[in-house]
Amino acid sequence: MKHRKCLLVLLCLVCLTIQARAQQQSLDSLIEPELASLVATYKTLHAAPELSQHEEKTSAFVAAQLRALGYNVTDHVGKYDRPGLTGYGVVAVMQNGAGPTVLVRTDMDALPVEEKTGLAYASKVRTKNEQGDEVSVMHACGHDIHITSFLGTAKLLAQLKDRWHGTLVLVGQPAEETVTGALALLNDGLYTRFPKPDFAVALHDHATLAAGHIGYTSGYALASADSVNITIRGVGGHGASPQTTKDPVVMAAQVILALQTIISRENSPLDPAVVTVGSIHGGTKRNIIPDEVQLQLTVRTYRAEAREKILAAIERITKGIAQAAGVPPERAPTVELITRESVASTFNDPALTERLAGAWRQALGADNVVALEPAMVSEDFAYYSLAEHKIPTVMFHVGAIDQARIAASKQTGTPLPSLHSSLFAPVPEPTIRTAIKAMTTAVLELMKKT
């Protein structure tokens, strides 16, 4: 009897393996004929990037492609907290009977970076930013890879309706780089005007992971980000008579050093956090003590409790140093949190992450699926799963770099170009192929017929 049971179990495992391989081959056979067209789409998007909140042509292109695939498409979705901005969000819905609702999101915007890759399809776009300054524009974060993979996934899922059931919601999100696009969509009824998802999934290319691989992180994956402006006010005067002044330059130096003790002495070493002063502005001439100095900070944390504690400590330390220097109350420093540039941490639901990781191992091979350490960069995909929504979400990474470049970097010690670099250049075909396969696999896993 025991032998029969073992044999049955073995046969079941063999059947599952054969089925998984057949499905894998099925996806490969559907992706391969589309690759040349998809790479051409990628190069077109790469050469025509648009800044955050200005994704007019990109949005229209995405909407048109999804309509042609049979999705019910709504464009111009999004309400910003500043008047006069157009919402360029795209929401496409395909209903396929009763079942779960799954949201797949891509971002669409680019960065004010001058491209220096030397690629034949490199961006030469120049435009004006919000301040009216002329800037170059580049897809230096790979959102063009994301869009292309998103469209490829949309096509495969439209062709594979016999293998899934439920409601598929595809979201083309604007303004990720300014962390305003996700909130704009939610403020415009993403979860009320359209089917509210049971799960939400997104991908991001990775600047040091080999093409053909995907990476995942369970739990906290990306940090929250807070932008803080500090104005330290003193009493200016002649540089030769410092005793008649309250020197804001000296106070600024003290504040910068003291802020580092928040991480080293107030925050738990087991709770990752960063406080960086990225900008100092003050003074006009070497022999003039100025009236004030401005500092600009970025703060990164994972846990909400640590975030609140660190922000409070920044204000306490800054005001304490000014008071110790004898600055009069009317000249007290101000510490301003720039809320429109703040975003929560991205948390990958552990159960959902492990479920998808298992599906990816079957589809892509265990050696091509790797666990990644959390990162301190930020993403507004976090808003799709905030506590009031209670939606399990996962953002995973897709390798975008040729293995030979990675090997050369390790041999020479020269770092690979990072995301947001003017030299960042994904290898298109294997990155797009793997991204489509991984995202399609994830959706089929969550919406599979049983």
Side-chain angles (χ1 to χ4, degrees):
M1 182 64 71
K2 288 183 178 179
H3 291 296
R4 288 182 180 179
K5 287 183 177 179
C6 290
L7 184 59
L8 285 172
V9 170
L10 183 60
L11 286 172
C12 288
L13 290 173
V14 170
C15 289
L16 287 172
T17 301
I18 293 172
Q19 183 182 16
R21 287 178 177 172
Q23 291 178 352
Q24 178 179 346
Q25 291 172 352
S26 175
L27 289 183
D28 289 335
S29 65
L30 290 173
I31 294 170
E32 203 63 34
E34 304 294 333
L35 268 177
S37 175
L38 287 165
V39 170
T41 294
Y42 163 71
K43 292 179 178 180
T44 298
L45 290 167
H46 187 87
E50 294 176 298
L51 290 177
S52 305
Q53 301 169 344
H54 295 276
E55 307 91 342
E56 180 179 6
K57 294 178 181 178
T58 306
S59 171
F61 174 77
V62 169
Q65 293 291 307
L66 294 173
R67 284 194 183 97
L69 293 172
Y71 288 83
N72 183 9
V73 178
T74 304
D75 53 16
H76 289 85
V77 181
K79 289 183 180 178
Y80 295 99
D81 60 0
R82 288 185 292 164
L85 294 177
T86 301
Y88 287 118
V90 178
V91 181
V93 178
M94 181 172 285
Q95 294 179 322
N96 190 25
T101 298
V102 175
L103 182 150
V104 176
R105 171 267 211 176
T106 185
D107 35 20
M108 303 188 295
D109 54 334
L111 288 158
V113 173
E114 182 180 358
E115 181 162 359
K116 298 178 181 177
T117 61
L119 294 167
Y121 52 90
S123 169
K124 297 179 175 59
V125 173
R126 290 184 64 80
T127 189
K128 291 190 175 181
N129 62 15
E130 296 298 323
Q131 292 73 40
D133 301 322
E134 188 171 298
V135 296
S136 297
V137 189
M138 176 189 174
H139 269 300
C141 200
H143 294 187
D144 44 358
I145 285 282
H146 303 174
I147 299 166
T148 306
S149 307
F150 175 82
L151 294 174
T153 300
K155 185 166 187 177
L156 258 65
L157 290 170
Q159 295 173 333
L160 294 171
K161 291 179 71 174
D162 61 327
R163 284 176 49 184
W164 60 272
H165 66 139
T167 301
L168 180 61
V169 181
L170 303 181
V171 176
Q173 183 202 301
E176 184 280 322
E177 297 293 357
T178 57
V179 295
T180 56
L183 278 180
L185 295 181
L186 290 165
N187 291 339
D188 201 15
L190 179 61
Y191 287 168
T192 54
R193 293 170 56 195
F194 307 97
K196 184 176 179 179
D198 298 299
F199 307 100
V201 188
L203 63 78
H204 204 296
D205 60 349
H206 198 285
T208 60
L209 187 64
H213 292 69
I214 65 166
Y216 68 94
T217 306
S218 183
Y220 288 111
L222 304 174
S224 65
D226 289 292
S227 297
V228 180
N229 289 349
I230 297 176
T231 301
I232 299 173
R233 299 180 183 86
V235 178
H238 201 292
S241 305
Q243 74 279 6
T244 66
T245 72
K246 300 295 181 186
D247 193 338
V249 175
V250 173
M251 284 185 275
Q254 292 174 319
V255 166
I256 292 168
L257 292 176
L259 291 180
Q260 305 313 305
T261 66
I262 298 173
I263 303 302
S264 65
R265 288 298 176 268
E266 296 191 39
N267 190 64
S268 168
L270 302 178
D271 193 359
V274 173
V275 176
T276 294
V277 180
S279 172
I280 310 172
H281 294 277
T284 57
K285 199 171 186 289
R286 62 178 58 87
N287 63 346
I288 299 173
I289 293 174
D291 287 322
E292 64 181 42
V293 172
Q294 287 86 35
L295 307 178
Q296 294 180 320
L297 287 68
T298 187
V299 179
R300 308 292 172 120
T301 60
Y302 291 130
R303 294 189 312 112
E305 297 83 358
R307 184 184 189 187
E308 293 173 6
K309 182 179 178 181
I310 289 171
L311 291 173
I314 291 170
E315 185 164 8
R316 185 194 75 235
I317 288 170
T318 302
K319 291 185 175 180
I321 287 173
Q323 186 177 13
V327 173
E330 65 272 14
R331 298 287 293 165
T334 56
V335 180
E336 179 187 10
L337 176 65
I338 311 301
T339 55
R340 68 176 180 274
E341 295 180 9
S342 295
V343 66
S345 56
T346 299
F347 183 84
N348 284 340
D349 181 82
L352 179 59
T353 303
E354 291 307 316
R355 179 180 175 184
L356 295 182
W360 289 325
R361 291 188 192 102
Q362 280 195 337
L364 299 166
D367 292 342
N368 297 320
V369 181
V370 298
L372 299 176
E373 293 294 324
M376 297 306 288
V377 294
S378 303
E379 243 275 1
D380 71 352
F381 185 65
Y383 287 122
Y384 289 79
S385 62
L386 287 182
E388 62 265 31
H389 305 311
K390 298 181 181 178
I391 296 169
T393 63
V394 166
M395 170 172 277
F396 65 95
H397 287 88
V398 178
I401 307 303
D402 185 80
Q403 184 65 61
R405 290 187 65 193
I406 296 174
S409 172
K410 290 179 179 178
Q411 184 176 9
T412 63
T414 303
L416 292 164
S418 66
L419 299 177
H420 292 210
S421 165
S422 62
L423 298 173
F424 177 63
V427 54
E429 187 173 298
T431 304
I432 294 167
R433 178 192 289 110
T434 305
I436 295 172
K437 190 170 183 178
M439 184 60 82
T440 303
T441 296
V443 175
L444 291 176
E445 168 63 24
L446 297 176
M447 306 182 77
K448 61 186 176 184
K449 294 181 177 179
T450 56

